[in-house]
Amino acid sequence: MGRQQRWTSVTGRALCISLPLLCVSHGAWAVDATIEGVAADVDRNIQAYLQNVDAQQYTDVRLEGEIRRRTQEAMRVFGYYEPEITLERATEDRVWLKIEPGPQVKIEILSINVKGDASEDPPFQQAIEDFPLAQGDVLRHAPWDRLRGQFPGLALERGYFDWGFTDRRMEVRPYLQSARLYMDFDSGPRYQFGETSIIGSHIELERLRRLQPFETGEPYLAETIAEYNQRLAETGWFSSVSVRPRLETAQALTIAPPSGSDPWWREATATQPQRPRLSSAALASALSINKPTDTRLPIDVNVEPADRHQFEVGIGYATDVGPRLRFGWEQPWINRYGHSLDHDLYLSAPEQRFTGVYDVPLDDPLRDSYLLQYGIRNLDDSDTESLEGTVELARRWKFDNDWVQSLYFRTTYEDFEQGGEADQVWLFYPGIQWSRTRTRPQRFPLWGDRQQLSLEYSDTLWGSDAQFTRVTGDTEWIRTIGDDNRFLARISFGAIDTGDFDKLPPSLRFFAGGDRSVRGYSYESLSPRNEEGRLRGGQQMLTSTLEYQRRVSGNWWAATFVDNGDAFDNWGPNDLKTGAGAGVRWVSPVGPIRLDVAHPFDHEDDWRLHFSIGPEF
């Protein structure tokens, strides 16, 4: 019983000071207080302190004493140390508090000092400059407590593992309405990155070391360790990655592990409650008798290889193509240099294709690589029949701003019939593409955008069957207002400049209409037609989308949209096709499912149902 009482008077008091918003037991009756005489922020804090008072657990005298004590505690954090409290009880769980706050305590002395290597470190100086209190100001506890926690956090993030407070005091003299605040923080030396030790890798170690965002001897920074961990994970070569500093100091023994559980010393003493627990400061003092002279911190990297063969099967349905099946086979690594291979098989009624990508990473495998892409595609849809084979060699760069640049050379053979006109062509052409995709979260983005611009050129001078310049681009934006209003906008365009249009295969001509184009019209049904009224494809294309979605409940959203666009032979067509409608979105465990009903404006009686699975981009 004595041990429990001591805990209540010391630990419970500390909790009330630092964290007034305590959980309320489901069986507790919180005291309902009407408070007069204090400002709104003080009122709210007093109410919070009284939230977990169970009136049934106290006698009348003790309950009044507890309410007074908590009220005083709640007011002290705002500098009121001598309030006059008049308490009247109406019922067992309802009270009236009339408070005369009295004068606020003001800061007489404010002394904050950082010693050691951190004395010249800008983040520590910035923390002191950002401290909102000064001599002569009213004392408020919250900024002081934040700074007291901020210094150790900065120390651990920036490699000051021998940190400690040499002085940390708040002396309050209520009878003089004054407070003296002292905080002296000694960071000790700053540690540097030491040698990196890598265990478990099947990839050449030199390739992994090139991913390091730090050099041996540079000042330690925790976020750099996290960045290295992320880079290794993004390669796809490993099923698990762990990058950790090899700490051997007193502070290392008191730092909580990454899982968030208690440090080892707290667990070691928890089974003996009858003994006083060893504080982190005491442990640090005991272990700092023989401080290490070497401030180089070795970095330990432990990795496990990813599965060499990974398979993925997808089944879907869209009104434009009907049922569809996708089978993916990925090899994230095929040799010690980190080369990878990815194959994809897609099957639907109008289209069947098989594609492959061989990736050869360079010095920075996340940013620079060579790509060998190849594939075969068969298409039989409406007025289009095509058998296409393609091989492409590309050089890829990813920049710091997340833009990706690809420079490629593509060769294509296509045996096709478009609108009754048949041909067989070989095309050889270089191209360049810039793209960027940003989303959060990934499965159903509430914020994101995607941009892409491509430029391609073919010439008969090097054996290509057609000469052309082709430009394509699109931009798509997703933004959310609040939690329940989602907006989507999209613009796509394309243009071909050529004197050999009849030689261009369907894969390079432009069509519009469908789930991701102009809804209300069937898939690729919008384009110029020949004399027989059959689709032949256009030399230009322009489409746009505006869509508003409103959350109905949980993962269910309602949508309304307007689409506009067409494929044509000359810019500025007389009229673009317009479709509008409404739909439903369900964010399922396998991805968003979209169901839309759209009406084309130039066909009064037509309505079209669009159903698809997968994110917008």
Side-chain angles (χ1 to χ4, degrees), residues 268-525:
T269 58
T271 56
Q272 304 177 34
Q274 71 279 10
R275 300 179 183 176
R277 291 190 177 183
L278 188 61
S279 69
S280 60
L283 182 61
S285 298
L287 295 178
S288 63
I289 296 175
N290 296 315
K291 288 186 177 180
T293 57
D294 186 5
T295 56
R296 293 254 177 140
L297 199 61
I299 305 300
D300 292 331
V301 179
N302 288 275
V303 296
E304 294 183 10
D307 293 338
R308 194 164 189 172
H309 300 276
Q310 300 176 13
F311 303 94
E312 181 181 2
V313 177
I315 300 175
Y317 179 86
T319 51
D320 290 335
V321 299
R324 56 192 179 190
L325 172 67
R326 177 182 173 271
F327 178 78
W329 171 30
E330 182 181 3
Q331 294 178 266
W333 59 275
I334 59 177
N335 55 34
R336 61 193 178 95
Y337 303 108
H339 297 187
S340 63
L341 187 60
D342 188 5
H343 285 115
D344 189 88
L345 176 64
Y346 173 87
L347 301 174
S348 67
E351 180 182 3
Q352 306 84 45
R353 67 172 181 263
F354 175 78
T355 59
V357 180
Y358 187 87
D359 190 331
V360 181
L362 301 178
D363 286 349
D364 188 341
L366 296 180
R367 296 182 178 273
D368 302 316
S369 61
Y370 284 111
L371 299 175
L372 175 62
Q373 304 183 64
Y374 47 89
I376 186 169
R377 174 175 177 258
N378 182 66
L379 177 65
D380 187 355
D381 181 48
S382 187
D383 295 332
T384 304
E385 293 183 21
S386 171
L387 179 62
E388 173 190 1
T390 299
V391 177
E392 175 184 299
L393 181 63
R395 173 70 165 88
R396 175 185 178 274
W397 298 265
K398 184 176 182 180
F399 304 117
D400 291 339
N401 57 8
D402 291 332
W403 280 92
V404 177
Q405 175 180 281
S406 295
L407 185 63
Y408 55 87
F409 183 84
R410 182 180 300 161
T411 176
T412 297
Y413 171 79
E414 192 158 349
D415 183 354
F416 67 91
E417 181 178 339
Q418 180 65 54
E421 299 177 2
D423 206 341
Q424 299 176 353
V425 295
W426 278 98
L427 298 176
F428 307 96
Y429 55 97
I432 187 169
Q433 181 185 88
W434 298 274
S435 63
R436 183 180 68 176
T437 300
R438 303 180 296 177
T439 59
R440 59 175 188 260
Q442 189 169 8
R443 188 178 64 160
F444 186 69
L446 299 178
W447 182 97
D449 53 70
R450 178 176 65 90
Q451 287 81 37
Q452 180 174 301
L453 178 65
S454 299
L455 175 63
E456 300 168 335
Y457 179 74
S458 174
D459 202 308
T460 56
L461 290 176
W462 51 70
S464 188
D465 286 340
Q467 180 178 356
F468 64 84
T469 301
R470 187 173 188 266
V471 179
T472 59
D474 59 80
T475 180
E476 188 167 1
W477 299 77
I478 293 174
R479 293 294 185 266
T480 305
I481 298 178
D483 295 327
D484 302 325
N485 300 284
R486 188 171 183 260
F487 297 86
L488 182 146
R490 180 193 304 124
I491 296 178
S492 299
F493 69 90
I496 301 173
D497 181 21
T498 181
D500 302 319
F501 186 77
D502 292 342
K503 287 286 187 180
L504 292 185
S507 60
L508 295 179
R509 302 184 189 188
F510 293 109
F511 302 84
D515 292 337
R516 292 187 52 81
S517 182
V518 184
R519 283 165 286 189
Y521 298 86
S522 60
Y523 179 62
E524 295 192 346
S525 63

